[in-house]
Amino acid sequence: KHQTEYKKDLPAINLTIVRPCLESVIQNQTCNLNIPEEDYDNLNIVLTSILHSTETSQILGILVFVSLLNSLANPILYAIWYPEFRKYATLIPSWFKKEKYVRPRL
């Protein structure tokens, strides 16, 4: 089925069952749901449609991209912020010189 058609066909579920659990999770507490048997299949369909939707994939892609940007920017920001790092970074080219490297006194 097409994504939008599938969302229109989703069954209604009783959110009063899920809400207290979501609130607990947001507060960093554990949660165990006791779902009535008749609601299990509907909840499974809804959760599967949410987790496997195009929007979820796009959000996860953006989060991964932002994480990669952070990983790339961290060394640059670190180099700009800390003078000791800049001091030692200027010594890196001397590691590749053929002459003997003498460690400066600190």
Side-chain angles (χ1 to χ4, degrees):
K1 286 184 175 183
H2 189 268
Q3 188 70 29
T4 54
E5 290 176 14
Y6 183 65
K7 286 184 179 179
K8 289 178 186 175
D9 296 342
L10 290 177
I13 59 169
N14 185 358
L15 292 179
T16 57
I17 298 170
V18 180
R19 185 178 175 145
C21 186
L22 290 176
E23 289 172 354
S24 297
V25 169
I26 289 171
Q27 296 172 1
N28 203 20
Q29 298 172 355
T30 58
C31 172
N32 295 315
L33 275 177
N34 293 323
I35 301 171
E37 189 72 31
E38 62 272 7
D39 286 339
Y40 180 75
D41 289 334
N42 291 342
L43 184 62
N44 191 27
I45 291 168
V46 171
L47 290 177
T48 301
S49 70
I50 291 170
L51 294 175
H52 297 285
S53 70
T54 306
E55 293 88 358
T56 304
S57 297
Q58 290 171 345
I59 291 170
L60 289 176
I62 290 169
L63 290 175
V64 167
F65 181 72
V66 168
S67 298
L68 289 173
L69 282 178
N70 180 48
S71 297
L72 291 171
N74 249 356
I76 296 167
L77 296 173
Y78 194 88
I80 292 169
W81 191 260
Y82 293 102
E84 287 183 20
F85 183 85
R86 290 192 304 267
K87 178 180 172 182
Y88 287 111
T90 59
L91 299 176
I92 292 173
S94 64
W95 298 348
F96 301 101
K97 291 183 180 177
K98 298 229 181 218
E99 63 211 31
K100 185 177 178 181
Y101 173 71
V102 178
R103 184 176 178 173
R105 292 183 174 197
L106 300 176

